[in-house]
Amino acid sequence: MSWQSYVDDHLLCDIEGNRLTSAAIVGHDGSVWAQSDKFPQFKPNEITGIMKDFDEPGFLAPTGLHLGGTKYMVIQGEAGAVIRGKKGSGGITIKKTNQALIFGIYDEPVTPGQCNMVVERLGDYLVEQGL
């Protein structure tokens, strides 16, 4: 299965008649493995900051999480495994696997819990596969 099909079939799946706004799978080094059409063009230092927060939980809390120039307020996550952010009625979930970051960005009517479920389920599967 190609990385793009993971994005198209698993991250952008139907969620009670809705779907995530955008999604991507990005290597720890910032290389894009696969992404949806609307996934923001991010800067390398944004991925560096996200990776640092996984290593040092709370690193992004004072400044916020930035992706593609959009600032998200960092909310609860799982230290070293998941970062969650909120912006208005939408937000972002990032799951870290052994080799990649799984991104899901959502807007209403998708809920934070639905986004978390989709992103973290795929991330957990990839971790089980050694990826």
Side-chain angles (χ1 to χ4, degrees), residues 1-10 25 33-34:
M1 181 179 274
S2 76
W3 289 114
Q4 191 61 50
S5 62
Y6 280 108
V7 170
D8 297 341
D9 301 338
H10 297 280
I25 301 173
W33 295 7

Side-chain angles (χ1 to χ4, degrees), residues 5-65:
S5 62
Y6 280 108
V7 170
D8 297 341
D9 301 338
H10 297 280
L11 294 174
L12 297 179
C13 63
D14 181 79
I15 310 167
E16 298 178 18
N18 301 298
R19 61 185 43 188
L20 299 179
T21 306
S22 62
I25 301 173
V26 177
H28 288 180
D29 62 357
S31 60
V32 177
W33 295 7
Q35 66 183 13
S36 63
D37 293 339
K38 296 180 183 173
F39 193 75
Q41 181 67 44
F42 57 83
K43 298 173 183 74
N45 64 322
E46 293 172 331
I47 299 299
T48 303
I50 290 167
M51 288 300 296
K52 186 163 177 121
D53 194 82
F54 280 117
D55 293 336
E56 299 173 28
F59 173 77
L60 291 175
T63 59
L65 184 161

